[in-house]
Amino acid sequence: ASWEHISHGCAMLGPTIALSNYIEKIYIGATFAHEYARKIPWGSHPDVDVLVGVRSMKVIHDGFDIEKPSKIVEIAKNPDFLKFLRVCCNINIQGLNCGCCEKCYRTTVILTLLGKSENDTPFSSGAFSLINIADYLREHSLKEDLKLAWCRNLRFIEESQVESEEKEFLIKVLRVKLE
């Protein structure tokens, strides 16, 4: 198993313990909303993260009640927040998300639905190409945790009030992939 499945919460919180005399609260962003967190083994969890802190510093597992697509919607409402959005472990030399990995595509699918483009965001060119997204999904198998994440995106897209060709295309591509 890779480090993110085992211990990334502790890895992120560990250095803050040295600063606990100066920091009263530390927030660690939730990867999964509550309905998925019990199903997917992950190195950060609200039941574990709170145990890593020290008495003088409270650890808050933030956003556990909000699914990722809804978090993206909230961030997209503020252009200043959106330009600093980082979802990728493969950040390039310009400080942008790589724009061609699963995490980038899962995020840009939602941003596309919201009418955002690479001009509004810190994603490399091509990240908003529906053809690139479809090709990626066709060519890569998804582990169970990623299937759940894409199912969340599909449900979000289907429930969206947006009516567009992009929406219909994304729904078709995701339904084929997740069958």
Side-chain angles (χ1 to χ4, degrees):
S2 59
W3 74 278
E4 70 266 13
H5 291 104
I6 299 171
S7 63
H8 80 272
C10 292
M12 289 190 291
L13 290 171
T16 64
I17 292 173
L19 301 171
S20 63
N21 288 336
Y22 308 100
I23 300 172
E24 292 179 17
K25 281 187 214 172
I26 187 89
Y27 291 83
I28 186 166
T31 300
F32 298 106
H34 53 86
E35 71 178 277
Y36 297 100
R38 303 276 185 255
K39 299 175 185 175
I40 301 167
W42 206 246
S44 174
H45 192 278
D47 295 341
V48 176
D49 293 344
V50 296
L51 301 174
V52 176
V54 293
R55 250 185 266 152
S56 60
M57 181 181 71
K58 184 175 182 175
V59 176
I60 299 168
H61 192 88
D62 194 40
F64 188 58
D65 54 336
I66 305 169
E67 289 189 351
K68 184 97 42 172
S70 298
K71 291 177 186 178
I72 295 167
V73 168
E74 291 304 311
I75 291 169
K77 289 178 182 177
N78 185 321
D80 292 328
F81 293 163
L82 186 56
K83 70 182 176 185
F84 291 106
L85 177 63
R86 300 295 184 266
V87 299
C88 180
C89 297
N90 306 317
I91 293 177
N92 67 25
I93 193 124
Q94 293 89 15
L96 302 173
N97 296 287
C98 79
C100 58
C101 71
E102 187 277 332
K103 281 180 147 183
C104 284
Y105 286 142
R106 192 164 16 108
T107 304
T108 57
V109 159
I110 301 301
L111 292 170
T112 298
L113 192 66
L114 298 172
K116 303 299 178 186
S117 72
E118 50 200 43
N119 297 330
D120 306 312
T121 66
F123 289 89
S124 300
S125 69
F128 286 83
S129 162
L130 296 181
I131 299 302
N132 289 352
I133 294 168
D135 287 346
Y136 180 90
L137 289 170
R138 262 193 301 276
E139 295 167 7
H140 293 81
S141 61
L142 297 175
K143 296 178 188 170
E144 198 58 34
D145 57 335
L146 297 180
K147 281 185 183 174
L148 285 171
W150 280 100
C151 284
R152 250 189 341 231
N153 274 20
L154 176 59
R155 186 175 70 230
F156 180 84
I157 293 166
E158 289 173 333
E159 293 172 358
S160 160
Q161 301 303 310
V162 173
E163 294 303 326
S164 67
E165 290 179 18
E166 290 87 356
K167 175 181 176 178
E168 297 310 314
F169 178 80
L170 290 168
I171 288 172
K172 286 178 187 173
V173 167
L174 288 171
R175 283 185 180 157
V176 167
K177 180 63 180 185
L178 298 170
E179 285 180 342

